[in-house]
Structures are given as C-alpha cells and as structure tokens.
Amino acid sequence: MNNPNIGVLGGDARYIHLANALSRDGYEVHCMFLDSPRLARGVHRAEDFRDALPFCAALLLPTPVCGQGLELNAPYWPQDRNRDIGQFLGDIGKTALVLGGAFSPAVKAAFAAKELRFIDLMERDDLAAANALPTAEGAVAMAMEQMEITLSGSRSCVVGCGRCGRVLARLLAAMGSRVTVTARRPGQLTWIADQGWTPLETGRLAQGAGEWDVVFNTVPAPVVDRRVLDALGPGAVVIDLASRPGSTDFPYAAQRGITAVLAPGLPGKVAPKTAGLILRDTILPILRERGISV
Ligand code: NAP
C-alpha cells in the first residue's frame, strides 16, 4: 500500500522542518507554494498545486493561514506568483483533512463559501503549551537585544501567569533576575510566592512598575496602560508577547520615549526547527485519529 499523501501549502521556516519531519516519518509530502534548498530530498516539490492537491489526504496550511486578506502566507515562494487562496480552495477534496493556524474571519468565510471544514491548530492547548518554551526563549533574546544592562542582576516583571508567563519567569529567575510575576487569581499569587518569585495582582501593575528594568507582558488585555508606562523608571523596556495588537499603549510609550516592542510569532522566528517539530508532534495524533497513518 502507498503511504498517505500530505500537502504542505506555503508557510514559514517552521513548515520546511515540518515537511522534512513528516517525510522522515514515512508520509509522501508534497510542498506547494513552498520551495527551499533546505527541503529534504524525499519531499516532493509541486510546481503546480493541481498536480498534487487532489491526491492529498491531508493539507497543512500556514500559521497564520493568510498574510493580508486572502493571500496565502508563503514567504518561501516567489513574490511575483499568485498566492490568493481562492485559486485552490475549489480543488480541495471535501474529505481532505485541512489543518492550519489562525484562520482570520475572511479566511473562515472563504472556507465556508466552499463548504470546507478545517482545524485551527492555534486553538489547541497541546500546541500552545509546547510553544511556551520557544516563546519564552525568544522573549529573553529580545530583551537582551533591547536592554542596556544584563538580565542577571536585573529586576523583571512577567505580567500574567499562564503557559508563557510561568516558563518565562523560570528562565529569568535561572538567569539571576529578581522576578515579579502578576496574576489576577489569589490561588495563583500564592503559587507564585511558593516559587520564590514576588507576586503582584495584575490590577496593581502601576504600583510596582518603578522597580523594574524590564516588563514582559503575556496578558491578552490592555494592561500596560498609561499609568504603568508613567510609573516605569528611566531605561525600562517593555516586551509585549500578547497576540496582535498587543496589550501595551504603544503610541503613548513612543511619546514618552520608552522602548516598547511587540514580539509576535517568536517560536517560528527564534527556533523554527523546534517549532516545526512541535507542529509535527501536534499534527501526527490528529492524522492518526483520522486513519491517515504510515
Ligand atoms: P494563557 O496560558 O492563557 O495565559 C494568559 C494569562 O493572561 C493568564 O495568566 C490569564 O489569567 C491572564 N489574563 C487573561 N485575560 C486577562 C485579563 N483580562 N486580565 C488579567 N489577566 C488576564 O496564554 P499563553 O499561552 O501564556 O499566551 C499568552 C499570550 O501570548 C496570548 O495572547 C498568546 O496568543 C500569545 N502568544 C504569543 C507568542 C509570541 O510569539 N509572541 C507565542 C505564544 C503565545 P487567568 O489564568 O486568570 O485567566
């Protein structure tokens, strides 16, 4: 029996490693809208999606699926080539399993118009949990680029005590930073204190802000507001990890001359191979559940 055909359509460097890993796992991987010398020899490159798309039992779309509007997120494909998803949606078989990350309302509407179903990987807890470590490492790297002092000996604040916040606090503490972690639930504040970190209610952020050299935000709500920015000491840096548009009043930070950086998509930027393998580990059980196994 032939091994199942999997289509990888577009995507950033993570998808090169994802394609290579699935090929190593034994799948027949067909890349469309994605070409790179780093693709392994066993991976098929489809010059025209019509050659491969109809035969694929599963299709892996990028994260996010589209850049602007309905344009496939395909940075490893010639810029002058058409990348509108409308050109291939009609060729996707109704039974094909479609997986991708972060489907915008416009992309969802385009899929609905063709009666196509999909799974949004960004809504999966296992992927988010596994991505916390590369995200936290990326945040540390970004802080080191922006700060004028070492993290060792610094005073840092991690806003939010979820998946990313907990891992980030652990890394910062291990590097010798004195870490404050904020949370809104009393039970979490107790847990933070148990870790040896300084707990603070997220609502009281402005009260502690004068102490910190760097603030990492992980809360997807507008918490790093004018009061917090006004309270920061000179030279303090804000690294905002929350999904676009972030949770910092960036125009006000710019007005005040405060370095505040929105840092989206860190796993793919700082650790594309790790992030690609995390995608593979998330996708494989879904493929197996649907009987798309090697
Ligand atoms: P998470 O586990 O859900 O943690 C979110 C934290 O924010 C929790 O502590 C939550 O508190 C708190 N929170 C949520 N809404 C709040 C509000 N209105 N007020 C106060 N606290 C609030 O999420 P995560 O996986 O750590 O991800 C955090 C953010 O980073 C998300 O926006 C995610 O999309 C983004 N992200 C970015 C990258 C990147 O590369 N930049 C990578 C991964 C994730 P409770 O526990 O009390 O709800």
Side-chain angles (χ1 to χ4, degrees):
M1 202 176 78
N2 290 337
N3 287 334
N5 291 293
I6 306 281
V8 178
L9 287 90
D12 57 19
R14 282 173 289 186
Y15 282 71
I16 296 171
H17 296 288
L18 170 63
N20 290 347
L22 289 173
S23 172
R24 273 198 306 275
D25 290 335
Y27 289 96
E28 294 296 333
V29 178
H30 305 267
C31 286
M32 298 161 249
F33 304 94
L34 170 67
D35 194 12
S36 161
R38 285 186 289 156
L39 283 172
R41 210 172 285 160
V43 173
H44 310 286
R45 295 164 164 85
E47 184 62 24
D48 186 337
F49 64 85
R50 291 174 195 87
D51 295 339
L53 201 60
F55 309 107
C56 290
L59 296 171
L60 311 182
L61 299 181
T63 306
V65 176
C66 283
Q68 288 175 345
L70 294 179
E71 204 170 87
L72 188 71
N73 173 16
Y76 286 89
W77 194 243
Q79 290 300 316
D80 56 352
R81 304 271 286 274
N82 181 9
R83 55 191 68 208
D84 192 300
I85 62 168
Q87 65 185 306
F88 63 76
L89 284 189
D91 285 293
I92 297 179
K94 291 277 183 281
T95 56
L97 172 66
V98 181
L99 301 156
F103 288 68
S104 67
V107 176
K108 284 181 183 168
F111 270 73
K114 296 281 181 198
E115 295 179 358
L116 290 172
R117 294 157 68 98
F118 60 83
I119 294 175
D120 192 337
L121 295 169
M122 287 301 114
E123 290 172 4
R124 289 188 62 101
D125 195 52
D126 48 352
L127 183 70
N131 267 336
L133 180 60
T135 303
E137 284 196 10
V140 165
M142 188 146 273
M144 289 167 83
E145 269 174 25
Q146 300 296 334
M147 289 168 69
E148 293 181 331
I149 61 170
T150 56
L151 278 169
S152 176
S154 71
R155 293 156 304 172
S156 58
C157 175
V158 177
V159 186
C161 189
R163 292 168 292 225
C164 294
R166 290 191 296 267
V167 179
L168 179 54
R170 181 164 57 77
L171 289 185
L172 291 167
M175 292 179 79
S177 182
R178 271 178 286 156
V179 189
T180 296
V181 182
T182 85
R184 58 180 170 179
R185 287 183 280 132
Q188 280 211 318
L189 291 167
T190 307
W191 182 83
I192 291 163
D194 286 345
Q195 304 304 306
W197 308 326
T198 304
L200 180 71
E201 274 176 51
T202 302
R204 294 174 180 262
L205 204 53
Q207 291 175 20
E211 301 288 317
W212 304 318
D213 302 303
V214 57
V215 176
F216 296 89
N217 175 62
T218 72
V219 169
V223 285
V224 186
D225 56 17
R226 287 179 176 225
R227 283 179 317 125
V228 175
L229 293 167
D230 276 336
L232 287 174
V237 165
V238 178
I239 308 289
D240 196 339
L241 306 181
S243 301
R244 285 183 196 281
S247 306
T248 302
D249 188 337
F250 287 104
Y252 189 66
Q255 197 182 314
R256 289 277 329 277
I258 297 167
T259 301
V261 186
L262 183 62
L266 288 172
K269 285 179 189 150
V270 301
K273 185 168 183 181
T274 302
L277 295 178
I278 288 172
L279 276 173
R280 189 273 305 259
D281 291 346
T282 307
I283 287 166
L284 270 185
I286 306 174
L287 294 177
R288 287 185 187 133
E289 261 170 38
R290 306 293 173 108
I292 307 171
S293 319
V294 182

